[in-house]
Amino acid sequence: MKKYVDSFLELIYPEKNTCFICDKYDEEIGERYICFNCERKIKKIVPPVCIKCSKPINYDKPTELCKECSADERYFEASKSLYAYEGVIKNAIYNYKYYNKPYFYKLFGSLIIDHIKEENYSDYDYILSVPLHRSKLLHRGYNQSELLAKYIANNLSIPYIDGLKRIKRTEKQSEHSKEERRKNLKDAFLVKTSSDKIINSSVLLVDDIYTTGSTVNECSKVLINYGVSKVYVITIAR
Ligand SMILES: [Zn+2]
Ligand SMILES: [Zn+2]
């Protein structure tokens, strides 16, 4: 099945050396899937940021937490996001999720891998992804976070574990208040049976966007309750 999916994805890839974002052909693009011009337009998240969730903060105290992380319990050790969720990157993620462009995982995956290597953010034994509810997976045909996580796992030679399951259908989170999100997500996830390997280990949890952090926090909570020692998170944007 995997072979079939891979070759199917291969068929709908844009031509080699074509920018996924603007469709421009440029021989310099190669395995980066993005042209220099588009990359320049993406707003990177740079320090000072909250040490827990990478939210940009406007004071320069390296041990400082943002307002949200000071107020709420965070079950993850740290969450990193590469870009501000706006402009070019917001569009690209939207296309990735809603316009049937599963191959975008290559672009985002290679950007994340570069970031992980630059930041030495690699202190984990397994890689997991935030799951979609079965009905959403059937509708979309793929889980964008899973494609990303598998690509990263492959590249870093760290095992991918299909360890989480979403048992509750949740509405689109961005349309809800913080309190509603929390209620929505309560008991939404569980750890799949036969995931014992992850007990006492550190894991990296991959998702596409960090909005309030409720989703990755809820996943981290069930992982920690299951016996995982540490959860690290990475998302494309926030
Ligand atoms: Zn471009
Ligand atoms: Zn924070």
Side-chain angles (χ1 to χ4, degrees), residues 48-57 62 64-67 69 79:
V49 296
C50 167
I51 53 158
K52 200 78 182 167
C53 76
S54 305
K55 181 181 180 172
I57 43 181
E64 211 60 63
L65 294 170
C66 71
K67 210 173 79 200
C69 288
S79 175

